[in-house]
Amino acid sequence: MGSTSSTLAKIPNAEDLMQETGFTPAHLVRLYDRFKVLDKDKKGFLTPQDFVAIKELAMNPICDRIIGAFFTSGGETLDFPSFVRILAHFRPIDKNRPKEPTSPDPINSRSNKLKFAFQLYDQDKDGKISRHELLQVLRAMLEKQVTEEQLESIADRTIQEADLDRDDAISFEEFRKSLEKVNIDHKMSIRFLR
Amino acid sequence: MPQSTLLTLLKVVFLICSTLAGEESEEESQSQHHHAETNLTDAFIVRLNWHHVENPYLVVLWIFVAGVAKIFVAQLNARLKSFFPESGLLIICGFILGGIVWGADKAQTFKLEPRNFFYFLLPQIILDTGYFMPNKLFFSNLGAILVHAVIGTCWNAGAVGVSLWGCYLGGAMGDLNIGLLQFLLFGSLLAAVDPVAVIAVFEEVHVNEVLFIWVFGESLLNDGVTVVLYNVFDAFVSLGGSKINAGEIIKGIVSFFVVSFGGSLIGVAFAIIISLLTKYTGKVQIIEAGFIFVLGYLSYLTAEMLSLSAILSVTFCGVCCQKYVNANMDEKSVTAVRYAMKVFANGSETMIFVFLGVTAIDNVIWVWNTGFICLTILFAIVYRFIGVFTLTWMLNRYRLVPIEVIDQLVMSYGGLRGAVAYGLAASLDETRIKEKNLIISTTLIVVYFTVVIQGLTMKPLVKWLKVKRVEPTELKLIAKVNNRACEHILAAMEDIAGRIGDNWWTRGWKRFEDTYITWFLMKPEARKNKDYLFSIFHKLNLEDAVNYVAEGEKRGSLAFLRNGDRTNVDFDKKFGMEFSGVMPDITSELDYGIDNVPMTSIRRDSIPSVSLDIHEQDMKDMNEDFNAHHLLQQHLYRSRKNHRHKYSRSDFKINQSEDEVQEIFQRTMRSRLESFKSAKMGVSPAKKITKHPKPSQKMSNGKSTDTSKSYPYGDEDFEFSEVDSAYSGDAAAAGGSSPMRAPPYTVGAGIENPAFMPEMDTPPPPWLTEVETDTSVAPSQRAQRQLPWSPTNLQRLTPLRISNRSTDSFVMADVPAAQDSPEEPPEDGSQQDGTHM
């Protein structure tokens, strides 16, 4: 599997990636190894099929959406830098690192984490979570016992809570506002990426 | 003034009780003799049988006195702006009471016996904390809690013991008959951070949830650890220093783990038994709540019997059973358990603090040794700080969100010692520990110092350090939905990144639980609707329904419920749909009124779910809910009260058949639905104001005769489906006082509502000015809260209603003076609402 074979030198543009994502060299090497493991045919890029092949992931109720989030640009291929960039969303926010005012929002900022979550709902990418889209997600996530009607009323209520302009859909701004009190950093971070 | 009278009253009660006790003990033989004599010679009508009742009487009297002290303290605290921690005040109350007893008896008659404490006061407190433990938070922080509870406690015990011993050798305490082992024993009993004291202080402060669970979880588990450590050292002391070799020490370490893990396992086993039992209590609902207490206590006693850690046992029993028990039992039983648990826990907590104070008033136990006492306090605090900071520093290296220095400071400072330490000290064996009294008095001083001084300064410290507190958050469905999504996302990312992380474990456990544990421990029907998101949804709906009615009542009328204009239809539609799923629950809750409504299930968590608030949260919310439910109970279903004559030991629902209630509810819903339909089809809905008061008055009077038999909900018979003809006798009578105004508002499809009649009489609707301009007079905070739709809609609704009203000639006739005032505010109100949302 070559888990120890990689070094930073083998990764193209490693410095830039680290700069951009904030990952440490160790993380990057680890992720590079993982990337190569997932890329079974040594194509140099990943396809959705490579993701589906992960057994645990295939059991995830919203797996297609999550995989879809990796292939946002519409293509069917994913190279290593994009792969790392997506995962960088889940790096915990580090308070200690000095914030340079000139640099743009880091990938793992609160709003970027939220954006990532938002686009999982917003499948048609019109910048709004419609009732239909929300219903789909809910249907996937809730257990079987909940009936379709109940599902619909849950969706209605959810939209109602967030919907400020009464257009029966949740825009990103509304989404962000309604989750203001939620500790997104906590909820959208993975410890081992620190 | 009332306080001073209360105090004098208390003193009187006390003097009576204590003098009685004193006299009796002195003249025991005499009086018994006397009784026997009178018994023989002549018949009697009444006589004083003090001896028959002495023990239970004193126990109950003390419970009563402690309760009164609690009331007193709560009253006082309100004046002091909660500056003083309640636990500290209770101890001071205890001093006073102890002083009174002392004054009467010239000896200490009552004190906190370790046996009573460990067998009758402590178990319910620990069971309560376990049962109300925020499980998710607890288990996700279990690692850190264990590190603090085990390593931290051992460190504290060892460091304090050794340092004191060092100082003793250095000559700081003069001449004492005490050795290293005794010092270690003392250190171990002093290492117990007391959950009772800690919760009492921390829940008043509302620190953030991670800090809370750390301190709280640590104090809970470390009690178990302390008791184990104490037993190990106690065994060492009785062995004597010379006989202790490596083998004994290894035995001690092994027994440490066996005792703690064994105790925890006993607890888990009992939790399984409880859960299994509640699976089959469907037919005996009335006693199922009792099982929790009986088996919880049994788990404590069983562990004690096997010399395993009883505290850990009952803790884990509570923690593990809560989920399944709550799912299995009837909702009413769950409420019963919750409240009974709080009553017991709160009661014994009060008793403990009062008795900690009473115990101090004694001339026997007090041995003063300045060096020993001061050094103990110093070391206890210093080593606590060192321990917490070192351990947290280590833990922080692995944490997602590090614990900040300020939090660590508060955590160290929150190391309050309490009754457990005293209980352990008091149960020392005087033959082996020569300085037992010194140890007891030092322990008491440490307890007073930490509870009173540290407790007192805790709040200012938290404020001054700007410790992150919990913000009262509104329960939001969208947040919960998103949390669920985030869980899936994180688990997926871990899969993709190819490493086993926290979410992998969480998911693994969840799957295991879903497939095996719930199957084993839960009723099939409970398994069905256990989806968390759905239960949140359900809870929110119930809340809305209650708020909606409460709001309406506050506004003086439930007319808006069915005046069928646009916004109202919106409500009907939304809720009508939800009711299809939720209906059975709502009916069951509405029909029993205040006695049975699970208030907690519908209360909003204004304080975080983690706060194990024994006092504040429940009380605050309860009051509000109570008021609302009380009103509901009184007015909505009043006439049925007349039937309640029978007594049944096993049932609350006496002669209301389930069918009847269902019927009422369904009819109500049907009529609403109809009104909704008619509104949708363009039929003008504004028919609530009948312009012919006389006929409808008659109608309602005529109707009232048969209300006793059935509920006239036959809305279909009448002209408009939403105009409720149902006017009960009560309502008509109430209407009698205002014959002209009443009939137009005969509203309340399915609800007889005499309560609103008087309010009809006050034509310039007071809420218009009160609620919208000056919110501070509004009686209920809850009612002001902006809910997703109901209150807003209410506020939008009312202006419409007002305009109807003001054109109504009756209103004109009735309220000439107030005419102009209602006209203005509605506009403002609706605009405000717009901006609110």
Side-chain angles (χ1 to χ4, degrees):
Chain A
M1 305 283 265
S3 58
T4 50
S5 64
S6 300
T7 56
L8 208 56
K10 285 192 188 163
I11 304 170
N13 296 332
E15 285 299 316
D16 293 346
L17 268 179
M18 270 159 38
Q19 181 72 30
E20 190 183 350
T21 59
F23 278 131
T24 62
H27 280 137
L28 214 56
V29 169
R30 217 176 225 288
L31 289 176
Y32 191 60
D33 286 339
R34 180 65 184 169
F35 183 80
K36 285 199 298 191
V37 170
L38 292 179
D39 179 18
K40 288 202 190 65
D41 317 328
K42 309 268 173 285
K43 309 180 283 290
F45 56 83
L46 297 180
T47 61
Q49 285 73 38
D50 289 324
F51 281 100
V52 177
I54 306 172
K55 203 174 84 224
E56 288 284 329
L57 183 61
M59 285 164 71
N60 198 311
I62 51 172
C63 118
D64 50 335
R65 280 156 192 272
I66 290 166
I67 296 173
F70 280 84
F71 299 91
T72 39
S73 43
E76 283 287 289
T77 59
L78 178 79
D79 56 0
F80 181 64
S82 320
F83 178 73
V84 173
R85 260 177 232 128
I86 300 280
L87 283 175
H89 283 101
F90 299 94
R91 214 166 55 80
I93 297 172
D94 30 23
K95 296 185 180 93
N96 303 338
R97 210 165 288 197
K99 220 181 191 173
E100 296 148 44
T102 51
S103 66
D105 237 10
I107 293 181
N108 62 349
S109 74
R110 184 189 155 88
S111 79
N112 278 334
K113 281 176 197 284
L114 272 175
K115 254 180 208 143
F116 188 88
F118 184 78
Q119 58 162 349
L120 287 190
Y121 297 97
D122 182 22
Q123 287 292 285
D124 61 4
K125 303 199 173 32
D126 63 348
K128 279 182 173 170
I129 305 174
S130 68
R131 182 171 180 271
H132 181 67
E133 284 166 339
L134 183 66
L135 208 53
Q136 281 179 331
V137 178
L138 283 174
R139 198 174 291 139
M141 287 196 311
L142 265 81
E143 271 146 52
K144 300 281 178 311
Q145 290 95 354
V146 181
T147 65
E148 189 64 26
E149 274 159 48
Q150 290 167 337
L151 217 56
E152 277 180 26
S153 45
I154 292 180
D156 280 339
R157 164 126 213 179
T158 311
I159 289 182
Q160 200 108 23
E161 275 181 358
D163 191 14
L164 300 178
D165 55 8
R166 308 230 164 261
D167 62 348
D168 251 2
I170 305 173
S171 68
F172 179 65
E173 193 55 28
E174 288 163 349
F175 186 69
R176 198 176 58 75
K177 272 224 175 85
S178 58
L179 296 179
E180 219 151 37
K181 292 268 176 66
V182 180
N183 191 347
I184 287 296
D185 185 28
H186 224 124
K187 297 262 164 20
M188 290 278 284
S189 298
I190 297 176
R191 203 173 55 172
F192 61 69
L193 292 180
R194 188 148 85 109
Chain B
M1 275 325 270
Q3 282 154 24
S4 56
T5 45
L6 201 73
L7 198 70
T8 39
L9 202 80
L10 236 148
K11 277 179 189 162
V12 171
V13 168
F14 238 83
L15 281 172
I16 293 172
C17 122
S18 48
T19 44
L20 268 181
E23 277 169 18
E24 288 299 327
S25 55
E26 285 161 24
E27 307 162 9
E28 203 168 311
S29 53
Q30 261 185 17
S31 64
Q32 255 169 2
H33 203 69
H34 198 64
H35 281 171
E37 244 170 48
T38 45
N39 231 350
L40 286 173
T41 50
D42 51 359
F44 56 88
I45 297 169
V46 281
R47 60 172 182 164
L48 190 64
N49 264 341
W50 172 246
H51 270 280
H52 288 257
V53 295
E54 179 176 355
N55 279 337
Y57 200 93
L58 282 179
V59 169
V60 175
L61 201 66
W62 268 110
I63 293 174
F64 167 72
V65 167
V68 173
K70 175 103 181 169
I71 298 174
F72 170 70
V73 161
Q75 290 282 339
L76 191 73
N77 225 2
R79 301 265 172 107
L80 295 179
K81 303 263 178 288
S82 318
F83 178 67
F84 221 82
E86 253 187 43
S87 41
L89 279 179
L90 282 173
I91 289 183
I92 292 169
C93 262
F95 288 154
I96 299 169
L97 294 175
I100 297 169
V101 175
W102 177 264
D105 273 10
K106 300 282 177 281
Q108 199 207 32
T109 326
F110 306 101
K111 64 173 183 175
L112 190 55
E113 295 288 345
R115 196 186 134 78
N116 290 346
F117 171 71
F118 281 112
Y119 287 123
F120 302 118
L121 292 175
L122 191 61
Q124 58 264 43
I125 294 181
I126 308 285
L127 181 65
D128 169 81
T129 48
Y131 185 79
F132 286 94
M133 180 71 79
N135 264 353
K136 201 177 164 195
L137 204 58
F138 178 69
F139 282 113
S140 59
N141 286 292
L142 188 62
I145 291 171
L146 277 178
V147 166
H148 276 289
V150 177
I151 303 177
T153 308
C154 293
W155 153 258
N156 268 345
V160 169
V162 170
S163 310
L164 281 177
W165 182 60
C167 292
Y168 167 67
L169 290 187
M173 310 168 190
D175 193 24
L176 291 174
N177 185 4
I178 195 164
L180 173 62
L181 280 175
Q182 277 95 332
F183 272 119
L184 284 175
L185 181 60
F186 177 59
S188 73
L189 72 87
L190 211 58
V193 174
D194 189 53
V196 184
V198 165
I199 303 165
V201 168
F202 268 70
E203 74 186 9
E204 286 178 29
V205 182
H206 298 310
V207 293
N208 63 69
E209 55 179 37
V210 176
L211 180 57
F212 182 84
I213 200 73
W214 275 40
V215 174
F216 174 60
E218 184 215 342
S219 64
L220 195 56
L221 295 191
N222 110 335
D223 267 358
V225 174
T226 313
V227 176
V228 178
L229 259 188
Y230 171 87
N231 286 335
V232 170
F233 281 121
D234 199 35
F236 282 176
V237 168
S238 56
L239 267 178
S242 54
K243 287 192 196 137
I244 293 173
N245 49 25
E248 294 296 332
I249 291 173
I250 289 172
K251 244 201 228 163
I253 294 171
V254 170
S255 89
F256 177 85
F257 285 104
V258 169
V259 168
S260 13
F261 282 102
S264 311
L265 278 182
I266 296 267
V268 173
F270 270 89
I272 292 173
I273 295 175
I274 296 179
S275 310
L276 273 179
L277 260 181
T278 50
K279 224 173 136 179
Y280 302 106
T281 46
K283 293 272 179 278
V284 283
Q285 254 175 32
I286 211 75
I287 60 163
E288 70 185 348
F291 281 119
I292 317 296
F293 298 96
V294 171
L295 283 172
Y297 194 37
L298 213 53
S299 83
Y300 187 88
L301 293 179
T302 309
E304 189 70 40
M305 179 179 78
L306 300 173
S307 73
L308 300 173
S309 171
I311 294 178
L312 288 178
S313 165
V314 76
T315 305
F316 278 95
C317 179
V319 167
C320 295
C321 79
Q322 51 166 283
K323 181 174 178 185
Y324 311 107
V325 162
N326 286 348
N328 279 342
M329 286 197 313
D330 190 73
E331 214 164 343
K332 281 170 283 174
S333 308
V334 173
T335 315
V337 169
R338 294 175 72 114
Y339 276 86
M341 198 80 97
K342 288 293 178 205
V343 169
F344 284 133
N346 215 332
S348 42
E349 184 196 296
T350 310
M351 293 284 287
I352 288 172
F353 281 122
V354 168
F355 267 95
L356 272 181
V358 171
T359 309
I361 311 298
D362 189 358
N363 55 351
V364 184
I365 57 164
W366 287 108
V367 180
W368 190 264
N369 183 327
T370 316
F372 187 78
I373 290 170
C374 291
L375 282 171
T376 305
I377 293 179
L378 180 75
F379 287 138
I381 293 174
V382 167
Y383 288 121
R384 165 98 189 157
F385 270 86
I386 295 176
V388 167
F389 273 82
T390 324
L391 291 175
T392 315
W393 175 77
M394 290 195 309
L395 287 168
N396 265 349
R397 301 173 56 178
Y398 303 99
R399 277 186 67 83
L400 182 65
V401 183
I403 296 287
E404 287 165 28
V405 179
I406 290 174
D407 285 2
Q408 296 177 36
L409 214 63
V410 173
M411 196 177 162
S412 320
Y413 199 67
L416 308 182
R417 313 308 203 266
V420 173
Y422 168 76
L424 291 176
S427 47
L428 285 173
D429 183 359
E430 210 160 345
T431 54
R432 277 181 275 133
I433 318 283
K434 298 285 184 271
E435 302 290 347
K436 181 184 173 186
N437 279 339
L438 177 62
I439 286 181
I440 290 184
S441 45
T442 311
T443 309
L444 276 177
I445 287 175
V446 172
V447 169
Y448 299 146
F449 180 83
T450 54
V451 171
V452 178
I453 309 279
Q454 283 180 221
L456 188 65
T457 44
M458 180 62 86
K459 227 181 246 182
L461 185 79
V462 166
K463 259 186 207 143
W464 180 63
L465 289 174
K466 297 195 178 64
V467 174
K468 217 168 91 196
R469 305 227 206 160
V470 272
E471 298 162 30
T473 49
E474 231 175 297
L475 184 63
K476 271 189 169 178
L477 197 58
I478 184 162
K480 299 290 175 191
V481 168
N482 195 50
N483 286 354
R484 174 73 68 90
C486 286
E487 277 167 26
H488 287 308
I489 294 171
L490 287 190
M493 288 304 155
E494 284 185 358
D495 294 333
I496 290 169
R499 283 181 66 178
I500 291 175
D502 312 331
N503 296 290
W504 190 89
W505 289 105
T506 322
R507 188 180 53 184
W509 164 252
K510 237 181 175 168
R511 274 196 198 141
F512 174 72
E513 195 190 19
D514 279 349
T515 37
Y516 301 108
I517 299 184
T518 50
W519 168 80
F520 184 54
L521 294 179
M522 271 195 199
K523 277 182 188 172
E525 58 273 25
R527 249 177 282 150
K528 242 181 219 165
N529 42 19
K530 72 178 174 54
D531 191 283
Y532 178 66
L533 276 180
F534 187 70
S535 67
I536 295 282
F537 172 67
H538 176 130
K539 197 167 139 185
L540 284 169
N541 282 337
L542 285 181
E543 239 170 55
D544 278 357
V546 170
N547 282 333
Y548 195 75
V549 173
E551 183 82 349
E553 287 181 334
K554 204 180 78 187
R555 275 149 198 268
S557 155
L558 285 177
F560 59 83
L561 276 181
R562 54 205 74 68
N563 63 358
D565 57 51
R566 192 184 51 76
T567 37
N568 198 20
V569 168
D570 190 48
F571 169 84
D572 276 350
K573 186 179 80 179
K574 293 280 189 285
F575 279 80
M577 270 199 300
E578 289 148 15
F579 279 140
S580 60
V582 177
M583 196 149 72
D585 297 278
I586 289 195
T587 43
S588 68
E589 281 184 17
L590 280 182
D591 71 8
Y592 309 125
I594 187 67
D595 312 324
N596 314 70
V597 172
M599 300 165 202
T600 45
S601 73
I602 46 176
R603 70 152 198 258
R604 187 172 291 259
D605 287 337
S606 58
I607 315 175
S609 49
V610 279
S611 166
L612 291 157
D613 227 318
I614 305 184
H615 328 264
E616 204 167 320
Q617 184 179 6
D618 283 344
M619 254 144 57
K620 199 186 317 162
D621 288 332
M622 200 174 75
N623 280 341
E624 289 178 13
D625 282 338
F626 191 85
N627 289 338
H629 287 297
H630 192 62
L631 277 174
L632 273 177
Q633 149 87 356
Q634 283 229 304
H635 303 305
L636 294 190
Y637 286 85
R638 170 182 280 174
S639 61
R640 206 160 329 130
K641 256 188 165 176
N642 302 336
H643 303 281
R644 291 194 173 194
H645 295 310
K646 278 195 224 152
Y647 167 79
S648 162
R649 189 187 295 268
S650 60
D651 222 340
F652 285 120
K653 35 188 174 190
I654 292 171
N655 43 36
Q656 316 161 2
S657 67
E658 197 76 43
D659 297 345
E660 185 191 38
V661 175
Q662 281 282 346
E663 174 72 15
I664 294 168
F665 189 80
Q666 273 163 7
R667 282 189 185 191
T668 313
M669 290 319 296
R670 204 184 310 140
S671 74
R672 294 227 186 123
L673 210 68
E674 228 128 83
S675 82
F676 157 60
K677 271 187 207 146
S678 66
K680 206 176 185 184
M681 270 134 68
V683 181
S684 168
K687 288 145 194 158
K688 61 195 182 303
I689 298 189
T690 316
K691 301 256 177 177
H692 315 289
K694 290 260 161 89
S696 62
Q697 168 83 18
K698 267 182 203 154
M699 190 161 66
S700 60
N701 279 336
K703 270 282 170 189
S704 68
T705 52
D706 52 29
T707 39
S708 53
K709 277 175 245 154
S710 67
Y711 293 90
Y713 290 105
D715 301 313
E716 294 85 355
D717 307 343
F718 291 91
E719 197 182 353
F720 310 112
S721 57
E722 67 266 66
V723 175
D724 197 302
S725 55
Y727 227 67
S728 72
D730 292 1
S737 64
S738 58
M740 296 304 279
R741 297 278 307 140
Y745 286 89
T746 40
V747 286
I751 300 168
E752 304 142 11
N753 212 334
F756 305 131
M757 297 317 298
E759 268 140 307
M760 304 297 158
D761 294 339
T762 57
W767 42 267
L768 256 186
T769 41
E770 269 177 30
V771 173
E772 315 225 323
T773 57
D774 183 10
T775 42
S776 64
V777 268
S780 144
Q781 274 206 333
R782 165 184 301 251
Q784 292 170 25
R785 214 175 281 135
Q786 293 289 317
L787 279 167
W789 50 74
S790 43
T792 330
N793 290 347
L794 300 183
Q795 282 166 358
R796 290 192 179 162
L797 272 169
T798 41
L800 289 169
R801 201 153 57 81
I802 292 317
S803 54
N804 272 337
R805 250 185 171 186
S806 54
T807 52
D808 189 0
S809 56
F810 292 115
V811 183
M812 301 277 244
D814 263 60
V815 275
Q819 247 324 299
D820 36 20
S821 63
E823 285 296 343
E824 285 292 331
E827 285 302 303
D828 295 349
S830 51
Q831 272 167 13
Q832 267 178 13
D833 299 340
T835 54
H836 268 303
M837 286 305 277

